[in-house]
């Protein structure tokens, strides 16, 4: 039975710039007309959408320096997986599963004539490469983990690795990739349950709850011989602690600063001990997943094989329905997830 082609789509729009932690009232759920796809376009029904902390930066006036800021009245966007309902494009057929950056809506008409980062691409589905995993360990979040650890931080034999925000989508895969390569890994997280998840499920050698005392003290206790690689998802006090405990020649992959995202008005906290990078000869390098788009297939093949043999597991925190998305974002920024935060739109 051919699915009915909708005439409209629900979308989440930004009602006003959040002040500090976003609130559900900062967003509106609206219904907008949906036209048929023209030549080179496809109509997609989203089945899952990704919740990513960096969207908070884009909700700041001026976008916090991040590409493509979101302004009041605009529909939010982000990674999503969906099914093609109707195609007027070569290489796409009804029923295909596509990965693309037009989440935060039930349906979308997408242009397929360009091949930029985030443009729709057909993905294969099987027992390992499931739809939701293309938004987690096999998608942009996973590429962030893989590229940050292996390309940016240049993981080397014997490195001791510290991962902040280690129970989240990016951090949890970093932990597993390093453990699978035989490294001692220390993780920080925001609850006792997450600490247990890191050590008992993911194989971290040590983990601590950053609420239990100064991060630098907890990190010194967990890594008495120092750390060689720091994968930074948190910034602020965590980055400062890592610089203090890092061994000479260490490398920092600057991935995110979730502790600072609600302070994008200029009140962010930077490390007061940055001169240690000079004294110790450290390398601090920022990056985005899109900078490593050419590695996407290599990364996916490696991680899919690790998932198939049980070396990598995938945790998901799933909410249901587009109307649940704003609260899910608030909860994500407050640490209310283990692994990947998703909204199921089916």
């Amino acid at each position: 039975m051919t699915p009915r082609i909708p005439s409209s789509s629900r979308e989440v729009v930004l009602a006003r710039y959040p002040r500090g932690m976003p609130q559900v009232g900062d967003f509106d759920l609206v219904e907008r007309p949906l036209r048929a796809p023209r030549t080179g376009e496809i109509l997609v029904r989203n089945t899952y959408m990704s919740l990513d902390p960096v969207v908070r930066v884009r909700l700041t006036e001026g976008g916090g320096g991040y590409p493509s800021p979101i302004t009041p009245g605009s529909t939010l966007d982000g990674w999503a997986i969906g099914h093609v309902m109707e195609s007027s494009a070569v290489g796409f057929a009804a029923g295909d599963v596509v990965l693309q950056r037009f989440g935060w809506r039930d349906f979308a008409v997408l242009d397929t004539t360009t091949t930029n980062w985030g443009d729709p691409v057909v993905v294969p589905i099987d027992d390992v490469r499931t739809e939701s995993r293309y938004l987690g360990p096999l998608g942009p979040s996973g590429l962030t983990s893989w590229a940050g650890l292996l390309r940016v931080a240049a993981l080397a034999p014997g490195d001791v690795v510290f991962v902040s925000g280690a129970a989240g989508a990016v951090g949890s895969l970093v932990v597993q990739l390093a453990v699978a390569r035989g490294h001692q890994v220390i993780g920080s997280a925001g609850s006792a349950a997450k600490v247990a998840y890191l050590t008992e499920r993911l194989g971290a050698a040590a983990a601590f709850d950053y609420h239990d005392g100064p991060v630098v003290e907890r990190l010194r206790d967990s890594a008495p011989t120092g750390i060689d690689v720091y994968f930074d998802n948190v910034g602020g006090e965590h980055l400062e602690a890592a610089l203090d405990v890092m061994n000479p020649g260490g490398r920092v992959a600057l991935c995110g600063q979730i502790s600072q995202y609600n302070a994008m008005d200029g009140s962010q906290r930077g490390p007061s001990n940055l001169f240690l990078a000079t004294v110790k000869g450290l390398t601090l390098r920022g990056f985005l997943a899109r900078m490593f788009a050419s590695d996407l297939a290599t990364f996916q093949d490696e991680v899919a094989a690790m998932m198939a043999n049980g070396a990598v597991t995938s945790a998901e925190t799933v909410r249901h329905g587009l109307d649940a998305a704003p609260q899910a974002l608030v909860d994500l920024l407050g640490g209310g997830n283990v692994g990947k935060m998703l909204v199921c739109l089916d």
Side-chain angles (χ1 to χ4, degrees), residues 8-343:
S8 62
S9 175
R10 296 185 306 158
E11 304 179 355
V12 177
V13 304
L14 180 63
R16 58 177 179 260
Y17 290 122
R19 295 182 179 275
M21 176 67 81
Q23 306 296 319
V24 171
D26 294 328
F27 307 92
D28 285 329
L29 186 64
V30 304
E31 191 155 341
R32 289 179 170 164
L34 191 68
R35 60 173 176 78
R38 300 169 183 148
T39 301
E41 295 180 334
I42 55 176
L43 171 63
V44 172
R45 174 180 63 86
N46 285 328
T47 54
Y48 287 93
M49 55 171 274
S50 171
L51 277 294
D52 300 293
V54 76
V55 75
R56 176 63 186 90
V57 180
R58 300 175 62 211
L59 302 179
T60 304
E61 190 166 6
Y66 198 84
S68 59
I70 299 168
T71 56
S74 299
T75 303
L76 277 71
D77 62 72
W79 290 101
I81 199 91
H83 296 181
V84 176
M85 297 186 70
E86 184 176 336
S87 174
S88 296
V90 175
F92 295 82
D96 283 346
V97 178
V98 294
L99 176 67
Q100 32 80 21
R101 279 192 55 85
F102 284 82
W104 294 87
R105 66 203 80 194
D106 287 320
F107 302 93
V109 174
L110 307 177
D111 181 17
T112 70
T113 60
T114 59
T115 56
N116 299 317
W117 179 249
D119 286 341
V121 58
V122 177
V123 294
I125 300 297
D126 57 32
D127 289 344
V128 172
R129 298 177 188 241
T130 63
E131 289 187 24
S132 63
R133 284 176 175 171
Y134 278 108
L135 298 177
L138 297 178
S141 292
L143 179 58
T144 300
S145 309
W146 184 90
L149 182 66
L150 303 181
R151 298 288 191 258
V152 177
L155 185 69
D159 281 341
V160 177
V161 180
F162 172 43
V163 185
S164 59
V170 171
S172 61
L173 183 56
V174 175
V175 171
Q176 294 178 86
L177 291 173
V179 168
R181 285 167 167 79
H183 292 266
Q184 178 184 348
V185 181
I186 297 102
S188 72
S191 71
K194 290 182 179 181
V195 166
Y197 171 69
L198 292 172
T199 56
E200 297 171 11
R201 293 285 304 278
L202 301 190
F208 61 86
D209 183 343
Y210 60 82
H211 295 109
D212 288 346
V215 174
V216 67
E217 295 180 7
R218 303 307 314 278
L219 182 56
R220 282 199 196 108
D221 291 343
S222 300
T225 63
I227 60 173
D228 304 292
V229 165
Y230 172 44
F231 196 104
D232 186 19
N233 291 307
V234 175
E237 185 183 2
H238 278 76
L239 178 55
E240 196 168 82
L243 293 175
D244 189 88
V245 179
M246 186 159 277
N247 293 323
R251 289 91 64 207
V252 179
L254 297 169
C255 174
Q257 293 199 343
I258 193 170
S259 70
Q260 308 298 300
Y261 288 165
N262 288 319
M264 297 305 294
D265 57 359
S267 62
Q268 303 99 316
R269 175 184 174 181
S272 63
N273 58 347
L274 188 58
F275 188 60
L276 286 176
T278 300
V279 174
K280 296 182 179 184
L282 309 179
T283 299
L284 285 73
R285 180 181 171 191
F287 72 102
L288 298 172
R290 68 182 67 186
M291 299 172 183
F292 298 90
S294 62
D295 287 318
L296 184 63
T298 300
F299 136 75
Q300 287 177 329
D301 287 346
E302 178 180 326
V303 174
M306 295 176 75
M307 297 190 79
N309 66 27
V312 164
T313 187
S314 172
E316 297 175 345
T317 301
V318 182
R319 304 294 172 80
H320 294 270
L322 186 63
D323 53 349
Q327 184 62 56
L329 176 62
V330 174
D331 293 344
L332 171 70
L333 294 171
N337 64 298
V338 173
K340 186 66 186 178
M341 177 73 92
L342 300 169
V343 175

